[in-house]
Amino acid sequence: MSEEFVRSVLREHAEEGMPTGKDPWPAIKQSVQAAQQEHRTETLHITVVSDPRRQKVEASHIDRWKNAYPGARRFRFNMATAMVVLLALAAGTIAIITSNGLQPIAGITPSLGCWRIGPGPEVEVGDTILTALSARSADDVWAVGYSNAGGQPRTLVQRWNGQRWSTVASANVESRSNYLTGVAALAPNNVWAVGYHCTGNCDTDVAPLAQHWDGARWSMASTPGSGRLNGLAAVSANDIWAVGNNAQETLALHWDGSRWTGVPTNDPPLPSSVFILNAVTAISSNDVWAVGQEHDTAGNRYKKLIYHWDGNRWASFSETGASLGIRLYSVAATSPGDVWAVGERDNNPSTEEPLETATMHWDGANWIEVPSPNVGAGGSYLRGVEAISPTDAWALGGYGPITGTKQTLVLHWDGALWSVVPSPNVEGQSSRFFSADALSANEIWAIGTYNLAGTGTFVERYNNPCIATTPKE
């Protein structure tokens, strides 16, 4: 789309209030600039959902959201916004989302910020997965996961020093498969990572794994019992939580500054169900949230799990019919009255219906499911969330068919609605996000994985204003 075409369209709709007998373009340009300033935090995205069944689901979600929050504002597409959009299209700065996925992005305006694939960790040949991220400062970011480079899964720890990523030697239980799934960086000499190692059959025989960075090396810490840890969050150096599952029950471990101990989560006795906690966020010593899912193996159905620690005990929040089918994979909070949990809705696992994004919000009194966009006719899902303020949150995951190439998915919350934000993919690979962490509203880190021929990792970074870097091919 040429600038001349944009000018001609704008002239047709901008006669009123424009100078007579003169070229209206300068006045139009001034109006557009004013509109850009007014809407500098707004992002326009167009989502096409080609599945009529999902259109009905999204409509019902929106109705529930309106009832829950009557004051939720709507995006108003006025003339000023239209001019901004036309100019952006002319410059190639807005990507339109179609049922076929994200189209190539020519560029993104500084006012919108941008996600870019940056220099990534260089790991030995072999399948590599980074599962969790913790950003302490611009020159101290940690990412953990595992690598099959040696033929057997071993813990993998990567660190960003402001210039590059490097592998930091990490601890392992020898002669076993080892995995890291969570990390929390409290200080340059105080970082924790958790996961699990296999004690036999990795599907059933596993034990928790926790290791600590003291500024010089990683060392293993003793953990009680069996099971796997999937998430980690810290209130302070002497108040850290790790959650996961042990066989059919949820698992919660607490670090008090000297040792890890198990804390009962008081699961209801349901022999046909498997309870799993995937993530945890800690607001204070008496305000901790953990999320996951209950899998009814008899009926092959899922329900969300949400647990709260009040300083004395864990308590679960009962399921409601509106949230059936939801699995939650990540949770983040800005305050006791602003907590987000994200994941996916699996309406009928037996028929392999497309997954749908799921976002839940705690307002201090109730958990409410908030409508969130889906992309294309294939499945859409979320794996990570980062909350910065009540009007600024990010949710990341992927979308695409069950079998076929998938692409990264990024959603942004502006205080009223979730919208899709363009994000790049590793060229020629199936790409998706796992985790995100923010240093500020203008600097956010995210990690993901790609796979077609082998599995690897990539790192993306959000900057606003956009910092020009050379994307990794």
Side-chain angles (χ1 to χ4, degrees):
M1 185 183 300
S2 68
E3 186 176 288
E4 275 306 312
F5 174 79
V6 175
R7 289 180 184 233
S8 66
V9 172
L10 293 178
R11 283 192 179 99
E12 292 177 6
H13 297 279
E15 292 179 358
E16 184 177 352
M18 291 295 163
T20 57
K22 295 183 180 180
D23 182 2
W25 179 245
I28 292 173
K29 184 176 181 181
Q30 182 179 2
S31 177
V32 169
Q33 290 173 338
Q36 283 181 308
Q37 179 66 19
E38 179 183 353
H39 298 280
R40 62 185 182 278
T41 59
E42 300 273 343
T43 307
L44 175 66
H45 301 283
I46 302 172
T47 305
V48 178
V49 181
S50 59
D51 189 338
R53 181 181 65 254
R54 287 174 59 188
Q55 289 176 333
K56 293 179 182 179
V57 171
E58 290 185 355
S60 66
H61 287 182
I62 291 172
D63 289 339
R64 288 200 301 272
W65 175 244
K66 287 179 182 177
N67 293 334
Y69 293 100
R73 65 181 173 84
R74 291 185 176 183
F75 181 80
R76 292 174 296 175
F77 195 88
N78 54 26
M79 187 57 214
T81 306
M83 290 191 288
V84 174
V85 172
L86 284 168
L87 285 175
L89 287 171
T93 59
I94 290 182
I96 297 180
I97 300 171
T98 71
S99 59
N100 294 324
L102 289 175
Q103 301 303 311
I105 303 170
I108 301 179
T109 60
S111 61
L112 295 178
C114 66
W115 284 95
R116 292 184 182 272
I117 297 180
E122 296 181 2
V123 188
E124 317 89 276
V125 176
D127 289 346
T128 301
I129 300 286
L130 289 176
T131 58
L133 176 78
S134 182
R136 197 188 64 82
S137 67
D139 57 1
D140 194 13
V141 181
W142 292 85
V144 303
Y146 58 92
S147 173
N148 279 321
Q152 184 179 44
R154 309 288 285 175
T155 61
L156 174 65
V157 175
Q158 293 281 322
R159 188 180 192 181
W160 171 261
N161 64 2
Q163 300 295 325
R164 65 186 182 90
W165 288 94
S166 60
T167 302
V168 181
S170 51
N172 288 273
V173 177
E174 295 303 323
S175 303
R176 300 293 184 182
S177 296
N178 293 255
Y179 305 85
L180 291 178
T181 56
V183 61
L186 289 82
N189 61 349
N190 190 7
V191 183
W192 281 95
V194 299
Y196 61 95
H197 66 90
C198 303
T199 58
N201 183 329
C202 282
D203 291 331
T204 57
D205 304 321
V206 294
L209 184 156
Q211 54 183 279
H212 180 256
W213 170 259
D214 62 5
R217 67 186 184 94
W218 285 94
S219 58
M220 203 72 74
S222 176
T223 52
S226 58
R228 66 187 73 209
L229 297 174
N230 301 320
L232 180 68
V235 177
S236 67
N238 300 324
D239 191 359
I240 303 174
W241 287 96
V243 300
N245 68 291
N246 181 15
Q248 292 180 270
E249 300 177 348
T250 57
L251 174 64
L253 300 184
H254 182 256
W255 173 259
D256 62 5
S258 59
R259 64 180 182 140
W260 287 97
T261 56
V263 181
T265 53
N266 307 303
D267 290 323
L270 297 174
S272 65
S273 291
V274 177
F275 295 83
I276 300 173
L277 291 177
N278 294 314
V280 60
T281 188
I283 303 168
S284 67
S285 295
N286 60 359
D287 194 359
V288 181
W289 292 95
V291 301
Q293 73 263 6
E294 174 196 342
H295 183 200
D296 176 5
T297 55
N300 195 24
R301 297 284 292 178
Y302 291 94
K303 297 179 182 178
K304 64 175 173 60
L305 278 186
I306 300 179
Y307 284 71
H308 182 255
W309 172 261
D310 63 4
N312 295 304
R313 64 187 298 272
W314 285 99
S316 63
F317 279 70
S318 60
E319 178 61 277
T320 59
S323 297
L324 289 174
I326 287 181
R327 295 185 287 243
L328 297 174
Y329 288 97
S330 187
V331 60
T334 67
S335 70
D338 183 32
V339 186
W340 284 100
V342 306
E344 65 196 19
R345 179 189 294 278
D346 195 350
N347 289 310
N348 193 340
S350 300
T351 60
E352 294 187 340
E353 292 184 18
L355 298 174
E356 298 169 351
T357 60
T359 60
M360 305 287 302
H361 183 256
W362 170 259
D363 61 6
N366 299 288
W367 278 100
I368 296 180
E369 185 180 357
V370 181
S372 52
N374 296 283
V375 179
S380 298
Y381 49 90
L382 300 170
R383 290 292 182 270
V385 65
E386 175 64 356
I388 300 167
S389 74
T391 59
D392 189 5
W394 295 86
L396 300 89
Y399 71 92
I402 295 176
T403 57
T405 303
K406 299 173 178 60
Q407 299 189 62
T408 58
L409 175 62
V410 174
L411 305 183
H412 181 255
W413 173 257
D414 65 0
L417 297 170
W418 286 102
S419 59
V420 181
V421 177
S423 58
N425 292 268
V426 178
E427 185 177 354
Q429 298 286 332
S430 192
S431 307
R432 80 279 291 166
F433 284 114
F434 279 155
S435 179
D437 199 11
L439 290 171
S440 69
N442 301 322
E443 185 174 358
I444 305 165
W445 289 81
I447 56 172
T449 184
Y450 64 85
N451 67 291
L452 279 182
T455 301
T457 64
F458 66 91
V459 175
E460 291 198 20
R461 193 173 180 180
Y462 173 86
N463 293 108
N464 189 7
C466 186
I467 298 175
T469 58
T470 303
K472 178 182 178 182
E473 297 295 336

